[in-house]
């Protein structure tokens, strides 16, 4: 073999060895160095950084999400104020609900009696409150003003809400372009009804928050996409779908709320809870208010409502929302189990005051 061929062969072999070392050796060393035996005896010391990859795509949220949401939401909220002599006092927040001047806020924001109230938009425009409609089934009010061309929030989809999800609340500053924002986290969903006692005559399913600091009453609660989850009533979050039902009820009944009254409290039992209590699944009656429709019809504490108007009552059925769709004076057939007895009673709803 000639010297030239020997040299060429040696050079080629060196190149192959270097390539193997770079492309395979470091990769194998990196992988092997992560084993417990290799870490214990320091057998491998890869020169390349160890990078663990997978097929999952993770979106990293940062403060810019909160800032963008706060800035975009400011034009869709207002400050509720009242006049105390020559002073303007901030009473809480209000949420633009319709473009033609209706706002949503909390009842507690109107606790100052005998005062003249107004809403101040993010642009500094002041609109007097013409009427306040208090919902007997929740702690919210619908406010009528002469405002027009308001920007409103898009609703969040309930299925997109998660426990632990970060939320944002906005408070506009009267006389200042700066808005203050608050953050918190979803603590409990409205669909999580395990162990919850609900009222037949009130909006009982709500979203609970873990707050960083107290937030103003009537604040819009938003996800980081700027969509509205609900409104803070001072204690909890009334979900946007319940607010829509509230507003529709008022506007469909010539600006008067028409809410049914039954007069009982209950707890939804799933199959596991029912077996543990040696009963059937359904809505277990916790209490019955005296001199109310349920009491007059014979409903008792401990009864388990299994069906209403041939609709099975279970954890997949929103019994809370279904009851609010009943009109006063309408008859509702309740199938119940009382001990070992299966019974049927008819409750005639009255008007909730």
């Amino acid at each position: 073999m000639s010297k030239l061929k020997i040299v060429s062969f040696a050079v080629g072999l060196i190149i192959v060895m270097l390539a193997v070392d770079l492309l395979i050796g470091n990769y194998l060393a990196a992988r092997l160095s992560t084993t417990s035996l290799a870490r214990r005896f320091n057998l491998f010391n890869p020169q390349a950084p160890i990078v663990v990859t997978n097929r999952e795509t993770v979106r990293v949220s940062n403060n810019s999400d909160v800032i963008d949401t706060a800035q975009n939401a400011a034009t869709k909220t207002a400050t509720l104020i009242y006049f105390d002599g020559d002073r303007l006092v901030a009473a809480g927040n209000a949420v633009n609900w319709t473009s033609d001047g209706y706002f949503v806020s909390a009842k507690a924001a109107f606790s100052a009696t005998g005062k003249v109230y107004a809403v101040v938009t993010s642009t500094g425009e002041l609109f007097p409150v013409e009427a306040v409609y208090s919902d007997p089934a929740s702690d919210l009010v619908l406010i009528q003003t002469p405002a027009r061309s308001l920007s409103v929030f898009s609703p969040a989809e309930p299925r997109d809400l998660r426990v632990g999800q970060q939320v944002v609340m906005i408070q506009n500053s009267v006389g200042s372009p700066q808005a203050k924002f608050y953050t918190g986290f979803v603590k409990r969903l409205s669909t999580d009804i395990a162990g919850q006692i609900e009222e037949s005559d009130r909006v009982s399913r709500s979203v609970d928050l873990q707050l960083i600091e107290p937030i103003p009453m009537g604040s819009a609660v938003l996800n980081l996409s700027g969509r509205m989850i609900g409104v803070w009533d001072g204690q909890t979050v009334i979900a946007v779908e319940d607010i829509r039902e509230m507003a529709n009820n008022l506007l469909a009944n010539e600006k008067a709320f028409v809410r049914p009254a039954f007069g009982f409290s209950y707890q939804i039992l799933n199959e596991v809870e029912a077996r543990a209590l040696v009963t059937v699944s359904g809505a277990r009656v916790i209490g019955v208010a005296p001199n109310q429709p349920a009491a007059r019809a014979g409903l008792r504490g401990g009864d388990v409502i299994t069906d209403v108007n041939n609709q099975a009552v279970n954890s997949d059925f929103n019994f809370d929302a279904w009851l609010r769709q009943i009109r006063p004076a309408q008859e509702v057939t309740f199938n119940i189990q009382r001990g070992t007895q299966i019974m049927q009673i008819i409750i005639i709803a009255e008007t909730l005051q």
Side-chain angles (χ1 to χ4, degrees), residues 16-32 46:
V16 171
M17 291 175 65
L18 288 173
V20 170
D21 181 58
L22 289 174
L23 298 178
I24 300 177
N26 278 339
Y27 172 80
L28 289 175
R31 290 292 178 177
L32 292 173

Side-chain angles (χ1 to χ4, degrees), residues 69-70 73-78 92-97 104-106 140 151-154 167-172 180-184 209 211 215-223 226-234 236-238 240 243:
T69 299
T75 60
K76 301 170 185 176
T77 61
N93 285 344
V95 181
N96 305 9
W97 185 251
V104 175
S105 189
L140 296 182
S151 298
V152 298
F153 289 107
S154 297
V167 295
V168 179
M169 290 70 69
I170 311 298
Q171 182 182 27
N172 292 330
K180 182 177 181 180
F181 68 86
Y182 305 80
T183 62
L209 299 182
L211 297 175
I215 62 176
M217 296 172 292
S219 296
V221 180
L222 316 171
N223 62 22
R227 292 180 176 270
M228 191 168 81
I229 295 168
V231 171
W232 178 254
D233 68 0
T236 188
V237 180
I238 304 299
V240 67
I243 300 172

Side-chain angles (χ1 to χ4, degrees), residues 311-327:
Q311 167 67 58
V313 177
N314 52 47
S315 55
D316 295 325
F317 173 58
N318 193 334
F319 191 35
D320 175 56
W322 187 89
L323 287 170
R324 290 197 304 277
Q325 302 304 314
I326 301 301
R327 303 284 296 183

Side-chain angles (χ1 to χ4, degrees), residues 277-347:
L277 295 171
V278 194
T279 186
V280 294
S281 59
R284 182 176 63 167
V285 178
I286 303 300
V288 180
N291 301 317
Q292 292 296 309
R296 287 194 290 271
L299 193 67
R300 299 179 186 176
D303 290 347
V304 178
I305 303 167
T306 57
D307 299 86
V308 283
N309 287 358
N310 296 319
Q311 167 67 58
V313 177
N314 52 47
S315 55
D316 295 325
F317 173 58
N318 193 334
F319 191 35
D320 175 56
W322 187 89
L323 287 170
R324 290 197 304 277
Q325 302 304 314
I326 301 301
R327 303 284 296 183
Q330 182 178 342
E331 294 184 355
V332 181
T333 301
F334 286 69
N335 288 333
I336 64 173
Q337 180 153 330
R338 180 179 296 166
T340 58
Q341 291 182 300
I342 298 174
M343 306 173 61
Q344 186 177 89
I345 63 175
I346 296 177
I347 301 178

Side-chain angles (χ1 to χ4, degrees), residues 102 107 134 156 214:
Y102 284 93
K107 288 180 183 178
S134 181

